[in-house]
Amino acid sequence: MGMIPPDTIEQVAAANDIVEVIGSYFPVKRAGSVWKALCPFHNEKTPSFHINPARQSYHCFGCGAGGSVFRFVMAYENLDFVSSVKRLADRAGIAIIEEQMSAEDDARLRLRKRLLELHKEAADWFHKNLLRTPAAAKAREYLKSRGLTSGVAVNWTLGYAPDSWDALSHFAESRGFSHEEISKSGLVSTREESREYYDRFRDRLMFPIRNDYGEVIAFSGRVLDASDTAKYVNSPETMLFTKGNVLFGLHASKRDLINAKTAIVCEGQIDLISAFEAGVRNVVAPQGTAFTERQAGMLKRFVEGVVLCFDADAAGEKAAERSLAALLDQGLLVRVATMPPGEDPDSLIRKQGPDAFREIIDHAPGFFDFQIARLPGQADVRTRQQFARKMGEFIALAKDPVIREDAISKTVSRIGILREDFEKLIPRNRPAASSPREISSDEGLSFEPPTHAMRMLCLFALRSMLLRETIRSQPWLKIIEGQAGADFFEKIIFSPVDPQKPASISSFLASLDSSEEAYAVSLLNERLAADIEEAARNFWKDFCATQISRQLKRVQQSLITALAAGQDIADWQKQQKEILDLKTVLMEIPQPSMPTEDPF
């Protein structure tokens, strides 16, 4: 759980009703005491996805997915646990104060919150300027010329920065933001000779840049006059914004990325917006010309492959090549889409429609095939030599052995070179990634389902706090030793989960890995008699009696074998005594009111 205190996790769970959270992602319908929906984690025609508001959990009877509200956000948004808690905390307006936070960290947290507020208000201010002010007429005309309607402007909160040195600065001051907050926001530039500042964005069409939470953290401003000034001006890097850590449009497209398993990488904001609004929604755009390792790692959370859709010029080709290392290092399949001469995604969609764009994307060749196809058929020796070295450098970046082998085979065939000669050109030391892929804390863990008897014991322990107290007072570890599901049972025994408090259940479920959590939800959803305490204690007594009988029989058989062989029987006698002592202790548990069937 990282540094987030358990009581904070429980507070976040209590403030986020699971029906409301899941219902904010897709439609859910009441069905008696539960809510149902089509499962988002597998294809189905009949709803088998159940949400239990009393238990604050979900379970799919089709694919077995299940868990707490935290697990749902983790699975649906492809987040780790800490990020899911923070996401839900933001939704409920709860501040996440990590344990052992220093005064410096506290001040930084407060400043970050204020800068987010400032960026949100600035985005709204720019947006109102675009829609209402006469000075923004040319910005509105520009959008119209690019086929972007007022509805699109509203969807993406596009704005206009007036041609003024201090209009935004005065607005921010009027909203109560301090000189320090305005200075550190990146929305203004400071004059070197004084502490005075002036607006960074002037007379520009404004694109808010959002993190994957949807929070505005920076801006990109496009020039409207054909002049010598930079076409785009972006916010500088701040405590909110690091260019190489953000993908434009990800907040809107991430669900479509997961569904498509492929990301279409556009070069600019307008290309992305045009594609998204035309129905091609699995799109993102880097905040620069090439992918960073951090951006590639973010994409890996959502997709298996990418289609690079940069401009069909030398700069675009270079950008694709510079993106390759980061993308291949994450194990992503990389393809390259080539636009018709003089076209980009925006212009192609406006002229020929989204289907023409989809056609190019669907037939985009793999990166290595794209490179091989660029070698002229009658290339001279020097050109082929240069090409071979370049392909060797590209192939060295590939981690997947299948992709690597395919690229080598096609390259040697295309160039007309012996394989062993070409392999000498492939660098042996592939550049290592500077930032490893983020994975969920439970990735790779397996869960061995308990036996029927252990399953019933887990069910009773999970639903009865009194039984857990009884078991904790007994030498129970000796009883369950070697049983499938013992680790899971131990987690239940030591948990403070209160089955009558949904927030407590959510907090407990959040402490489990994904397979254990789904199993626990299935236990919580089982119907039991209203009064389970007597049944629970009787089952524990029968379980103990059966286990002790088996252990004693096994040790006694070993003792007989040792005596017959003339071996030292001291260890076997010691084990027998321990089992008999254990039996004596457990006799204190009340006898069941009636015999029960042997759980084994």
Side-chain angles (χ1 to χ4, degrees), residues 55 450-465 467-468 471 485 488-489 492-493 497 499 508 519-529 532-533 535-537 539:
R55 299 292 185 190
T451 62
H452 172 70
M454 280 296 294
R455 183 180 189 280
M456 291 300 298
L457 196 56
C458 288
L459 186 152
F460 283 128
L462 189 57
R463 306 283 281 273
S464 170
M465 297 179 70
L467 178 64
R468 292 202 300 273
I471 293 176
F488 179 58
F489 180 70
I492 296 174
I493 291 301
V497 58
F508 167 68
Y519 192 82
V521 169
S522 70
L523 298 181
L524 288 167
N525 287 334
E526 285 208 16
R527 294 183 179 275
L528 292 176
I532 69 167
E533 299 302 338
R537 286 168 64 83
F539 192 89

mmCIF file of all heavy atoms in Angstrom, residues 55 450-465 467-468 471 485 488-489 492-493 497 499 508 519-529 532-533 535-537 539:
data_model
loop_
_atom_site.group_PDB
_atom_site.id
_atom_site.type_symbol
_atom_site.label_atom_id
_atom_site.label_comp_id
_atom_site.label_asym_id
_atom_site.label_seq_id
_atom_site.Cartn_x
_atom_site.Cartn_y
_atom_site.Cartn_z
ATOM 1 N N ARG A 55 -21.811 -5.047 0.159
ATOM 2 C CA ARG A 55 -20.429 -5.495 0.360
ATOM 3 C C ARG A 55 -19.414 -4.550 -0.268
ATOM 4 O O ARG A 55 -18.206 -4.727 -0.085
ATOM 5 C CB ARG A 55 -20.237 -6.885 -0.243
ATOM 6 C CG ARG A 55 -21.115 -7.959 0.376
ATOM 7 C CD ARG A 55 -20.719 -8.243 1.792
ATOM 8 N NE ARG A 55 -21.471 -9.353 2.370
ATOM 9 C CZ ARG A 55 -21.445 -9.671 3.650
ATOM 10 N NH1 ARG A 55 -20.718 -8.954 4.480
ATOM 11 N NH2 ARG A 55 -22.147 -10.677 4.099
ATOM 12 N N PRO A 450 -7.948 -22.898 -2.087
ATOM 13 C CA PRO A 450 -8.025 -23.802 -0.934
ATOM 14 C C PRO A 450 -8.832 -25.057 -1.251
ATOM 15 O O PRO A 450 -9.644 -25.081 -2.180
ATOM 16 C CB PRO A 450 -8.728 -22.946 0.131
ATOM 17 C CG PRO A 450 -8.568 -21.534 -0.321
ATOM 18 C CD PRO A 450 -8.560 -21.593 -1.809
ATOM 19 N N THR A 451 -8.610 -26.097 -0.439
ATOM 20 C CA THR A 451 -9.472 -27.277 -0.504
ATOM 21 C C THR A 451 -10.877 -26.879 -0.059
ATOM 22 O O THR A 451 -11.086 -25.776 0.468
ATOM 23 C CB THR A 451 -8.935 -28.378 0.425
ATOM 24 O OG1 THR A 451 -8.950 -27.877 1.775
ATOM 25 C CG2 THR A 451 -7.529 -28.795 0.040
ATOM 26 N N HIS A 452 -11.823 -27.799 -0.233
ATOM 27 C CA HIS A 452 -13.204 -27.482 0.170
ATOM 28 C C HIS A 452 -13.273 -27.126 1.656
ATOM 29 O O HIS A 452 -13.935 -26.144 2.042
ATOM 30 C CB HIS A 452 -14.125 -28.662 -0.130
ATOM 31 C CG HIS A 452 -15.514 -28.491 0.425
ATOM 32 N ND1 HIS A 452 -16.398 -27.571 -0.092
ATOM 33 C CD2 HIS A 452 -16.142 -29.090 1.479
ATOM 34 C CE1 HIS A 452 -17.528 -27.614 0.598
ATOM 35 N NE2 HIS A 452 -17.403 -28.529 1.558
ATOM 36 N N ALA A 453 -12.588 -27.913 2.484
ATOM 37 C CA ALA A 453 -12.638 -27.651 3.924
ATOM 38 C C ALA A 453 -12.010 -26.312 4.265
ATOM 39 O O ALA A 453 -12.560 -25.537 5.059
ATOM 40 C CB ALA A 453 -11.936 -28.779 4.680
ATOM 41 N N MET A 454 -10.847 -26.019 3.657
ATOM 42 C CA MET A 454 -10.199 -24.736 3.932
ATOM 43 C C MET A 454 -11.025 -23.579 3.384
ATOM 44 O O MET A 454 -11.052 -22.488 3.946
ATOM 45 C CB MET A 454 -8.796 -24.712 3.320
ATOM 46 C CG MET A 454 -7.735 -25.433 4.134
ATOM 47 S SD MET A 454 -7.447 -24.666 5.752
ATOM 48 C CE MET A 454 -6.757 -23.086 5.274
ATOM 49 N N ARG A 455 -11.714 -23.850 2.269
ATOM 50 C CA ARG A 455 -12.570 -22.805 1.713
ATOM 51 C C ARG A 455 -13.682 -22.441 2.695
ATOM 52 O O ARG A 455 -13.962 -21.261 2.932
ATOM 53 C CB ARG A 455 -13.179 -23.269 0.395
ATOM 54 C CG ARG A 455 -14.039 -22.213 -0.292
ATOM 55 C CD ARG A 455 -14.624 -22.737 -1.598
ATOM 56 N NE ARG A 455 -15.261 -21.657 -2.327
ATOM 57 C CZ ARG A 455 -16.469 -21.178 -2.060
ATOM 58 N NH1 ARG A 455 -17.177 -21.698 -1.063
ATOM 59 N NH2 ARG A 455 -16.977 -20.188 -2.764
ATOM 60 N N MET A 456 -14.327 -23.461 3.279
ATOM 61 C CA MET A 456 -15.380 -23.199 4.251
ATOM 62 C C MET A 456 -14.821 -22.485 5.483
ATOM 63 O O MET A 456 -15.458 -21.582 6.033
ATOM 64 C CB MET A 456 -16.042 -24.510 4.666
ATOM 65 C CG MET A 456 -16.861 -25.170 3.571
ATOM 66 S SD MET A 456 -18.221 -24.120 2.983
ATOM 67 C CE MET A 456 -19.190 -23.946 4.491
ATOM 68 N N LEU A 457 -13.612 -22.864 5.872
ATOM 69 C CA LEU A 457 -12.998 -22.233 7.033
ATOM 70 C C LEU A 457 -12.698 -20.765 6.741
ATOM 71 O O LEU A 457 -12.932 -19.886 7.581
ATOM 72 C CB LEU A 457 -11.713 -22.979 7.399
ATOM 73 C CG LEU A 457 -11.133 -22.711 8.788
ATOM 74 C CD1 LEU A 457 -12.167 -22.996 9.874
ATOM 75 C CD2 LEU A 457 -9.886 -23.563 9.002
ATOM 76 N N CYS A 458 -12.202 -20.485 5.522
ATOM 77 C CA CYS A 458 -11.946 -19.098 5.126
ATOM 78 C C CYS A 458 -13.252 -18.303 5.093
ATOM 79 O O CYS A 458 -13.296 -17.142 5.516
ATOM 80 C CB CYS A 458 -11.285 -19.061 3.745
ATOM 81 S SG CYS A 458 -9.572 -19.618 3.709
ATOM 82 N N LEU A 459 -14.305 -18.926 4.576
ATOM 83 C CA LEU A 459 -15.601 -18.257 4.488
ATOM 84 C C LEU A 459 -16.101 -17.865 5.880
ATOM 85 O O LEU A 459 -16.505 -16.719 6.113
ATOM 86 C CB LEU A 459 -16.599 -19.175 3.791
ATOM 87 C CG LEU A 459 -17.978 -18.597 3.469
ATOM 88 C CD1 LEU A 459 -18.566 -19.297 2.253
ATOM 89 C CD2 LEU A 459 -18.937 -18.762 4.639
ATOM 90 N N PHE A 460 -16.060 -18.831 6.820
ATOM 91 C CA PHE A 460 -16.527 -18.542 8.176
ATOM 92 C C PHE A 460 -15.661 -17.483 8.857
ATOM 93 O O PHE A 460 -16.172 -16.583 9.530
ATOM 94 C CB PHE A 460 -16.544 -19.823 9.012
ATOM 95 C CG PHE A 460 -17.710 -20.725 8.727
ATOM 96 C CD1 PHE A 460 -17.516 -22.068 8.442
ATOM 97 C CD2 PHE A 460 -19.007 -20.236 8.758
ATOM 98 C CE1 PHE A 460 -18.596 -22.902 8.190
ATOM 99 C CE2 PHE A 460 -20.095 -21.068 8.511
ATOM 100 C CZ PHE A 460 -19.890 -22.401 8.220
ATOM 101 N N ALA A 461 -14.354 -17.590 8.687
ATOM 102 C CA ALA A 461 -13.449 -16.634 9.328
ATOM 103 C C ALA A 461 -13.649 -15.230 8.776
ATOM 104 O O ALA A 461 -13.578 -14.235 9.512
ATOM 105 C CB ALA A 461 -12.000 -17.071 9.146
ATOM 106 N N LEU A 462 -13.904 -15.149 7.484
ATOM 107 C CA LEU A 462 -14.108 -13.843 6.858
ATOM 108 C C LEU A 462 -15.405 -13.197 7.325
ATOM 109 O O LEU A 462 -15.486 -11.974 7.467
ATOM 110 C CB LEU A 462 -14.116 -14.002 5.335
ATOM 111 C CG LEU A 462 -14.108 -12.740 4.475
ATOM 112 C CD1 LEU A 462 -12.900 -11.868 4.792
ATOM 113 C CD2 LEU A 462 -14.112 -13.105 2.996
ATOM 114 N N ARG A 463 -16.408 -14.013 7.618
ATOM 115 C CA ARG A 463 -17.717 -13.480 7.966
ATOM 116 C C ARG A 463 -17.950 -13.385 9.474
ATOM 117 O O ARG A 463 -18.969 -12.841 9.900
ATOM 118 C CB ARG A 463 -18.799 -14.380 7.344
ATOM 119 C CG ARG A 463 -18.644 -14.589 5.835
ATOM 120 C CD ARG A 463 -19.106 -13.398 5.038
ATOM 121 N NE ARG A 463 -20.545 -13.379 4.917
ATOM 122 C CZ ARG A 463 -21.226 -14.017 3.961
ATOM 123 N NH1 ARG A 463 -20.587 -14.712 3.050
ATOM 124 N NH2 ARG A 463 -22.524 -13.937 3.925
ATOM 125 N N SER A 464 -17.035 -13.919 10.288
ATOM 126 C CA SER A 464 -17.235 -13.919 11.737
ATOM 127 C C SER A 464 -16.002 -13.384 12.459
ATOM 128 O O SER A 464 -14.962 -14.040 12.513
ATOM 129 C CB SER A 464 -17.540 -15.338 12.227
ATOM 130 O OG SER A 464 -17.515 -15.397 13.642
ATOM 131 N N MET A 465 -16.130 -12.192 13.025
ATOM 132 C CA MET A 465 -15.038 -11.623 13.812
ATOM 133 C C MET A 465 -14.806 -12.446 15.079
ATOM 134 O O MET A 465 -13.675 -12.612 15.535
ATOM 135 C CB MET A 465 -15.346 -10.174 14.168
ATOM 136 C CG MET A 465 -15.465 -9.252 12.966
ATOM 137 S SD MET A 465 -15.858 -7.545 13.404
ATOM 138 C CE MET A 465 -14.313 -7.032 14.177
ATOM 139 N N LEU A 467 -15.187 -15.709 15.451
ATOM 140 C CA LEU A 467 -14.415 -16.898 15.119
ATOM 141 C C LEU A 467 -12.930 -16.558 14.976
ATOM 142 O O LEU A 467 -12.067 -17.314 15.435
ATOM 143 C CB LEU A 467 -14.943 -17.531 13.832
ATOM 144 C CG LEU A 467 -14.166 -18.770 13.356
ATOM 145 C CD1 LEU A 467 -14.291 -19.899 14.369
ATOM 146 C CD2 LEU A 467 -14.632 -19.227 11.985
ATOM 147 N N ARG A 468 -12.634 -15.432 14.365
ATOM 148 C CA ARG A 468 -11.229 -15.047 14.210
ATOM 149 C C ARG A 468 -10.567 -14.853 15.571
ATOM 150 O O ARG A 468 -9.414 -15.236 15.775
ATOM 151 C CB ARG A 468 -11.111 -13.769 13.368
ATOM 152 C CG ARG A 468 -11.504 -13.961 11.922
ATOM 153 C CD ARG A 468 -10.907 -12.907 11.012
ATOM 154 N NE ARG A 468 -11.303 -11.559 11.353
ATOM 155 C CZ ARG A 468 -12.403 -10.960 10.920
ATOM 156 N NH1 ARG A 468 -13.238 -11.623 10.140
ATOM 157 N NH2 ARG A 468 -12.678 -9.716 11.253
ATOM 158 N N ILE A 471 -9.943 -18.342 17.028
ATOM 159 C CA ILE A 471 -8.841 -19.042 16.360
ATOM 160 C C ILE A 471 -7.497 -18.446 16.757
ATOM 161 O O ILE A 471 -6.521 -19.175 16.986
ATOM 162 C CB ILE A 471 -9.047 -19.007 14.835
ATOM 163 C CG1 ILE A 471 -10.264 -19.843 14.451
ATOM 164 C CG2 ILE A 471 -7.801 -19.506 14.102
ATOM 165 C CD1 ILE A 471 -10.621 -19.793 12.979
ATOM 166 N N GLY A 485 -4.086 -23.035 0.553
ATOM 167 C CA GLY A 485 -4.850 -21.863 0.970
ATOM 168 C C GLY A 485 -4.487 -21.369 2.355
ATOM 169 O O GLY A 485 -5.127 -20.450 2.874
ATOM 170 N N PHE A 488 -3.592 -17.625 2.503
ATOM 171 C CA PHE A 488 -4.791 -16.793 2.361
ATOM 172 C C PHE A 488 -5.572 -16.761 3.682
ATOM 173 O O PHE A 488 -6.030 -15.711 4.132
ATOM 174 C CB PHE A 488 -5.651 -17.341 1.224
ATOM 175 C CG PHE A 488 -6.937 -16.588 0.999
ATOM 176 C CD1 PHE A 488 -6.922 -15.236 0.710
ATOM 177 C CD2 PHE A 488 -8.159 -17.234 1.065
ATOM 178 C CE1 PHE A 488 -8.104 -14.530 0.492
ATOM 179 C CE2 PHE A 488 -9.338 -16.556 0.851
ATOM 180 C CZ PHE A 488 -9.308 -15.200 0.557
ATOM 181 N N PHE A 489 -5.709 -17.937 4.319
ATOM 182 C CA PHE A 489 -6.410 -18.032 5.597
ATOM 183 C C PHE A 489 -5.704 -17.185 6.660
ATOM 184 O O PHE A 489 -6.354 -16.507 7.473
ATOM 185 C CB PHE A 489 -6.472 -19.493 6.038
ATOM 186 C CG PHE A 489 -7.168 -19.708 7.349
ATOM 187 C CD1 PHE A 489 -8.538 -19.537 7.465
ATOM 188 C CD2 PHE A 489 -6.462 -20.087 8.482
ATOM 189 C CE1 PHE A 489 -9.195 -19.737 8.677
ATOM 190 C CE2 PHE A 489 -7.094 -20.287 9.694
ATOM 191 C CZ PHE A 489 -8.467 -20.115 9.783
ATOM 192 N N ILE A 492 -6.644 -13.602 6.473
ATOM 193 C CA ILE A 492 -7.980 -13.347 7.024
ATOM 194 C C ILE A 492 -7.921 -13.283 8.549
ATOM 195 O O ILE A 492 -8.491 -12.387 9.176
ATOM 196 C CB ILE A 492 -8.974 -14.437 6.566
ATOM 197 C CG1 ILE A 492 -9.164 -14.389 5.052
ATOM 198 C CG2 ILE A 492 -10.315 -14.265 7.274
ATOM 199 C CD1 ILE A 492 -10.026 -15.519 4.508
ATOM 200 N N ILE A 493 -7.211 -14.237 9.142
ATOM 201 C CA ILE A 493 -7.148 -14.326 10.598
ATOM 202 C C ILE A 493 -6.566 -13.058 11.218
ATOM 203 O O ILE A 493 -7.024 -12.573 12.259
ATOM 204 C CB ILE A 493 -6.324 -15.554 11.028
ATOM 205 C CG1 ILE A 493 -7.082 -16.840 10.681
ATOM 206 C CG2 ILE A 493 -6.019 -15.527 12.522
ATOM 207 C CD1 ILE A 493 -8.440 -16.952 11.345
ATOM 208 N N VAL A 497 -10.902 -6.894 9.411
ATOM 209 C CA VAL A 497 -12.078 -6.654 8.585
ATOM 210 C C VAL A 497 -13.365 -6.904 9.363
ATOM 211 O O VAL A 497 -13.517 -7.914 10.050
ATOM 212 C CB VAL A 497 -12.039 -7.535 7.310
ATOM 213 C CG1 VAL A 497 -11.955 -9.010 7.642
ATOM 214 C CG2 VAL A 497 -13.251 -7.252 6.436
ATOM 215 N N PRO A 499 -17.187 -7.504 8.668
ATOM 216 C CA PRO A 499 -18.087 -7.828 7.556
ATOM 217 C C PRO A 499 -19.348 -6.971 7.510
ATOM 218 O O PRO A 499 -20.072 -6.999 6.519
ATOM 219 C CB PRO A 499 -18.437 -9.309 7.800
ATOM 220 C CG PRO A 499 -18.187 -9.535 9.252
ATOM 221 C CD PRO A 499 -17.059 -8.621 9.623
ATOM 222 N N PHE A 508 -9.821 -4.265 3.370
ATOM 223 C CA PHE A 508 -9.231 -5.606 3.427
ATOM 224 C C PHE A 508 -8.973 -6.141 2.027
ATOM 225 O O PHE A 508 -7.898 -6.686 1.737
ATOM 226 C CB PHE A 508 -10.162 -6.556 4.182
ATOM 227 C CG PHE A 508 -9.788 -8.006 4.034
ATOM 228 C CD1 PHE A 508 -8.619 -8.494 4.594
ATOM 229 C CD2 PHE A 508 -10.599 -8.879 3.309
ATOM 230 C CE1 PHE A 508 -8.263 -9.832 4.450
ATOM 231 C CE2 PHE A 508 -10.257 -10.209 3.162
ATOM 232 C CZ PHE A 508 -9.086 -10.683 3.733
ATOM 233 N N TYR A 519 -11.259 -14.113 -5.207
ATOM 234 C CA TYR A 519 -11.712 -15.269 -4.428
ATOM 235 C C TYR A 519 -12.440 -14.804 -3.166
ATOM 236 O O TYR A 519 -13.481 -15.352 -2.797
ATOM 237 C CB TYR A 519 -10.522 -16.146 -4.064
ATOM 238 C CG TYR A 519 -10.905 -17.507 -3.514
ATOM 239 C CD1 TYR A 519 -11.233 -18.540 -4.371
ATOM 240 C CD2 TYR A 519 -10.939 -17.746 -2.152
ATOM 241 C CE1 TYR A 519 -11.595 -19.799 -3.887
ATOM 242 C CE2 TYR A 519 -11.296 -18.987 -1.650
ATOM 243 C CZ TYR A 519 -11.619 -20.011 -2.524
ATOM 244 O OH TYR A 519 -11.980 -21.242 -2.034
ATOM 245 N N ALA A 520 -11.898 -13.786 -2.511
ATOM 246 C CA ALA A 520 -12.535 -13.265 -1.294
ATOM 247 C C ALA A 520 -13.916 -12.709 -1.595
ATOM 248 O O ALA A 520 -14.855 -12.885 -0.803
ATOM 249 C CB ALA A 520 -11.651 -12.187 -0.665
ATOM 250 N N VAL A 521 -14.067 -12.043 -2.730
ATOM 251 C CA VAL A 521 -15.378 -11.509 -3.112
ATOM 252 C C VAL A 521 -16.385 -12.637 -3.288
ATOM 253 O O VAL A 521 -17.551 -12.527 -2.882
ATOM 254 C CB VAL A 521 -15.268 -10.668 -4.394
ATOM 255 C CG1 VAL A 521 -16.640 -10.343 -4.955
ATOM 256 C CG2 VAL A 521 -14.518 -9.375 -4.118
ATOM 257 N N SER A 522 -15.937 -13.749 -3.887
ATOM 258 C CA SER A 522 -16.859 -14.881 -4.055
ATOM 259 C C SER A 522 -17.308 -15.422 -2.696
ATOM 260 O O SER A 522 -18.458 -15.839 -2.544
ATOM 261 C CB SER A 522 -16.190 -15.983 -4.880
ATOM 262 O OG SER A 522 -15.155 -16.625 -4.147
ATOM 263 N N LEU A 523 -16.420 -15.400 -1.702
ATOM 264 C CA LEU A 523 -16.793 -15.830 -0.359
ATOM 265 C C LEU A 523 -17.780 -14.855 0.279
ATOM 266 O O LEU A 523 -18.742 -15.261 0.936
ATOM 267 C CB LEU A 523 -15.547 -15.965 0.525
ATOM 268 C CG LEU A 523 -14.503 -17.000 0.108
ATOM 269 C CD1 LEU A 523 -13.356 -17.011 1.115
ATOM 270 C CD2 LEU A 523 -15.113 -18.387 0.004
ATOM 271 N N LEU A 524 -17.530 -13.582 0.094
ATOM 272 C CA LEU A 524 -18.406 -12.566 0.675
ATOM 273 C C LEU A 524 -19.807 -12.611 0.078
ATOM 274 O O LEU A 524 -20.780 -12.230 0.728
ATOM 275 C CB LEU A 524 -17.789 -11.178 0.475
ATOM 276 C CG LEU A 524 -16.566 -10.856 1.337
ATOM 277 C CD1 LEU A 524 -15.859 -9.604 0.822
ATOM 278 C CD2 LEU A 524 -16.978 -10.664 2.790
ATOM 279 N N ASN A 525 -19.904 -13.064 -1.162
ATOM 280 C CA ASN A 525 -21.200 -13.087 -1.840
ATOM 281 C C ASN A 525 -22.007 -14.354 -1.559
ATOM 282 O O ASN A 525 -23.162 -14.461 -1.976
ATOM 283 C CB ASN A 525 -21.008 -12.933 -3.351
ATOM 284 C CG ASN A 525 -20.625 -11.514 -3.732
ATOM 285 O OD1 ASN A 525 -20.950 -10.574 -3.020
ATOM 286 N ND2 ASN A 525 -19.924 -11.361 -4.849
ATOM 287 N N GLU A 526 -21.407 -15.337 -0.884
ATOM 288 C CA GLU A 526 -22.139 -16.566 -0.583
ATOM 289 C C GLU A 526 -23.214 -16.316 0.471
ATOM 290 O O GLU A 526 -23.003 -15.564 1.423
ATOM 291 C CB GLU A 526 -21.186 -17.659 -0.104
ATOM 292 C CG GLU A 526 -20.383 -18.268 -1.222
ATOM 293 C CD GLU A 526 -19.997 -19.708 -0.915
ATOM 294 O OE1 GLU A 526 -20.588 -20.308 -0.005
ATOM 295 O OE2 GLU A 526 -19.095 -20.209 -1.606
ATOM 296 N N ARG A 527 -24.348 -16.965 0.296
ATOM 297 C CA ARG A 527 -25.452 -16.834 1.255
ATOM 298 C C ARG A 527 -25.215 -17.764 2.442
ATOM 299 O O ARG A 527 -24.910 -18.946 2.279
ATOM 300 C CB ARG A 527 -26.778 -17.165 0.590
ATOM 301 C CG ARG A 527 -27.190 -16.171 -0.489
ATOM 302 C CD ARG A 527 -28.549 -16.535 -1.057
ATOM 303 N NE ARG A 527 -28.961 -15.593 -2.068
ATOM 304 C CZ ARG A 527 -29.582 -14.437 -1.818
ATOM 305 N NH1 ARG A 527 -29.848 -14.091 -0.561
ATOM 306 N NH2 ARG A 527 -29.936 -13.626 -2.788
ATOM 307 N N LEU A 528 -25.351 -17.216 3.646
ATOM 308 C CA LEU A 528 -25.216 -18.004 4.871
ATOM 309 C C LEU A 528 -26.431 -17.767 5.768
ATOM 310 O O LEU A 528 -27.153 -16.783 5.588
ATOM 311 C CB LEU A 528 -23.928 -17.620 5.613
ATOM 312 C CG LEU A 528 -22.599 -17.980 4.943
ATOM 313 C CD1 LEU A 528 -21.450 -17.431 5.770
ATOM 314 C CD2 LEU A 528 -22.462 -19.482 4.782
ATOM 315 N N ALA A 529 -26.604 -18.653 6.734
ATOM 316 C CA ALA A 529 -27.683 -18.470 7.697
ATOM 317 C C ALA A 529 -27.472 -17.180 8.473
ATOM 318 O O ALA A 529 -26.345 -16.697 8.605
ATOM 319 C CB ALA A 529 -27.727 -19.657 8.658
ATOM 320 N N ILE A 532 -24.397 -17.227 12.044
ATOM 321 C CA ILE A 532 -23.362 -18.157 11.592
ATOM 322 C C ILE A 532 -22.375 -18.508 12.699
ATOM 323 O O ILE A 532 -21.504 -19.352 12.496
ATOM 324 C CB ILE A 532 -22.584 -17.570 10.401
ATOM 325 C CG1 ILE A 532 -21.724 -16.376 10.841
ATOM 326 C CG2 ILE A 532 -23.504 -17.221 9.262
ATOM 327 C CD1 ILE A 532 -20.705 -15.953 9.811
ATOM 328 N N GLU A 533 -22.473 -17.839 13.858
ATOM 329 C CA GLU A 533 -21.434 -18.006 14.876
ATOM 330 C C GLU A 533 -21.320 -19.457 15.349
ATOM 331 O O GLU A 533 -20.223 -20.007 15.442
ATOM 332 C CB GLU A 533 -21.708 -17.073 16.060
ATOM 333 C CG GLU A 533 -21.706 -15.596 15.706
ATOM 334 C CD GLU A 533 -20.388 -15.125 15.087
ATOM 335 O OE1 GLU A 533 -19.361 -15.802 15.299
ATOM 336 O OE2 GLU A 533 -20.403 -14.095 14.406
ATOM 337 N N ALA A 535 -22.381 -22.225 13.831
ATOM 338 C CA ALA A 535 -21.929 -23.060 12.720
ATOM 339 C C ALA A 535 -20.433 -22.893 12.482
ATOM 340 O O ALA A 535 -19.721 -23.855 12.194
ATOM 341 C CB ALA A 535 -22.715 -22.715 11.456
ATOM 342 N N ALA A 536 -19.961 -21.648 12.625
ATOM 343 C CA ALA A 536 -18.541 -21.378 12.404
ATOM 344 C C ALA A 536 -17.671 -22.069 13.446
ATOM 345 O O ALA A 536 -16.656 -22.706 13.125
ATOM 346 C CB ALA A 536 -18.295 -19.868 12.418
ATOM 347 N N ARG A 537 -18.050 -21.948 14.714
ATOM 348 C CA ARG A 537 -17.260 -22.563 15.782
ATOM 349 C C ARG A 537 -17.309 -24.094 15.679
ATOM 350 O O ARG A 537 -16.297 -24.787 15.903
ATOM 351 C CB ARG A 537 -17.776 -22.103 17.143
ATOM 352 C CG ARG A 537 -17.398 -20.663 17.460
ATOM 353 C CD ARG A 537 -18.166 -20.137 18.674
ATOM 354 N NE ARG A 537 -17.824 -20.882 19.898
ATOM 355 C CZ ARG A 537 -16.755 -20.615 20.652
ATOM 356 N NH1 ARG A 537 -15.904 -19.662 20.303
ATOM 357 N NH2 ARG A 537 -16.536 -21.311 21.760
ATOM 358 N N PHE A 539 -17.674 -25.849 12.934
ATOM 359 C CA PHE A 539 -16.859 -26.252 11.788
ATOM 360 C C PHE A 539 -15.375 -26.221 12.154
ATOM 361 O O PHE A 539 -14.616 -27.110 11.772
ATOM 362 C CB PHE A 539 -17.128 -25.335 10.581
ATOM 363 C CG PHE A 539 -16.539 -25.880 9.310
ATOM 364 C CD1 PHE A 539 -17.272 -26.728 8.507
ATOM 365 C CD2 PHE A 539 -15.236 -25.563 8.944
ATOM 366 C CE1 PHE A 539 -16.717 -27.251 7.341
ATOM 367 C CE2 PHE A 539 -14.681 -26.078 7.789
ATOM 368 C CZ PHE A 539 -15.424 -26.929 6.977
#
